[in-house]
Amino acid sequence: MNIILIGYMGVGKTSLGKRLANRLEMEFVDTDQLIETREGCSIETIFANKGESYFRKLEQEVVNELRLKDNLLISTGGGMPCFNNLMGVLNDMGLTIYLKRSAKELANRLIKSKKKRPLVVNKNYNELVTFIDEMLIKRAPYYEAAQIVADRTMQTVTDLELQINDFKNK
Ligand code: S3P
């Protein structure tokens, strides 16, 4: 079985994904990193030189490859489930987990983050909160289609691990 972490930028998919992969003895894959390695440049450069729709095509290609594999813990890019009907595909590939935080919390985390994210770069805290609020309204229907919705302010890694094991034993 694969486990697929989805959720907004800055929610902590990659760091949690690495920890969970270790604990559950699964292979960790980060779709943004995979795309950067393949293209030989950063996501920021891909957006700047080739545009967002080119990036979304790359995401689709990556999903089509990963869906053939097993025992992966996949951390996805924040927009992946919301384009090209990929949420349905992700749900078919394994156990999808939506990691959820409030817009304010996400803005705080994104302001501190060193990772360059083209969609939110150059925004101050207040602009970020408004932007995230608006985007979450559009993205929520996709994210909420996940098989597990995990509130990251409330749930620890151990809580999540228990939920995953419950799901596996069903
Ligand atoms: C994006 C999220 C980013 C990255 C790209 C677009 C988005 O991934 O894929 O900048 O549309 O939300 P993270 O969620 O890992 O930051």
Side-chain angles (χ1 to χ4, degrees):
M1 190 187 78
N2 297 308
I3 296 178
I4 303 123
L5 302 183
I6 65 165
Y8 203 76
M9 286 175 268
V11 76
K13 295 172 297 257
T14 302
S15 57
L16 179 76
K18 284 183 183 161
R19 285 167 72 189
L20 275 176
N22 257 330
R23 289 196 189 202
L24 301 166
E25 297 183 349
M26 298 173 82
E27 185 188 337
F28 176 74
V29 179
D30 180 295
T31 61
D32 280 345
Q33 274 167 18
L34 203 61
I35 288 172
E36 288 186 330
T37 308
R38 288 196 181 166
E39 291 290 294
C41 61
S42 66
I43 304 285
E44 204 191 4
T45 307
I46 300 172
F47 266 69
N49 293 349
K50 302 203 167 156
E52 180 172 350
S53 57
Y54 176 80
F55 173 73
R56 299 301 172 195
K57 262 195 222 131
L58 295 176
E59 287 194 307
Q60 192 171 16
E61 281 169 26
V62 162
V63 170
N64 283 333
E65 285 171 38
L66 296 180
R67 70 191 299 187
L68 307 173
K69 302 192 178 182
D70 193 25
N71 203 40
L72 301 180
L73 189 318
I74 306 170
S75 164
T76 59
M80 180 186 273
C82 318
F83 292 84
N84 300 311
N85 298 316
L86 288 185
M87 191 58 210
V89 182
L90 296 174
N91 267 330
D92 283 344
M93 274 169 69
L95 173 61
T96 49
I97 306 178
Y98 170 29
L99 305 179
K100 197 171 177 173
R101 290 184 195 271
S102 71
K104 282 187 179 161
E105 238 184 310
L106 291 167
N108 269 319
R109 293 169 60 89
L110 284 168
I111 288 272
K112 286 185 216 140
S113 166
K114 289 197 185 73
K115 183 173 163 185
K116 294 239 170 83
R117 291 169 164 101
L119 295 174
V120 294
V121 82
N122 298 332
K123 286 189 169 46
N124 67 32
Y125 177 78
N126 286 334
E127 288 167 341
L128 254 184
V129 175
T130 310
F131 180 80
I132 297 170
D133 261 333
E134 286 169 2
M135 217 164 170
L136 278 180
I137 292 172
K138 290 190 200 133
R139 288 187 171 184
Y142 300 96
Y143 291 157
E144 302 275 350
Q147 292 155 68
I148 292 178
V149 177
D151 185 336
R152 281 299 285 138
T153 8
M154 310 290 285
Q155 279 171 293
T156 63
V157 186
T158 309
D159 293 334
L160 261 173
E161 208 181 333
L162 289 173
Q163 253 185 295
I164 292 167
N165 284 329
D166 275 355
F167 201 94
K168 277 188 180 165
N169 298 329
K170 256 190 203 163

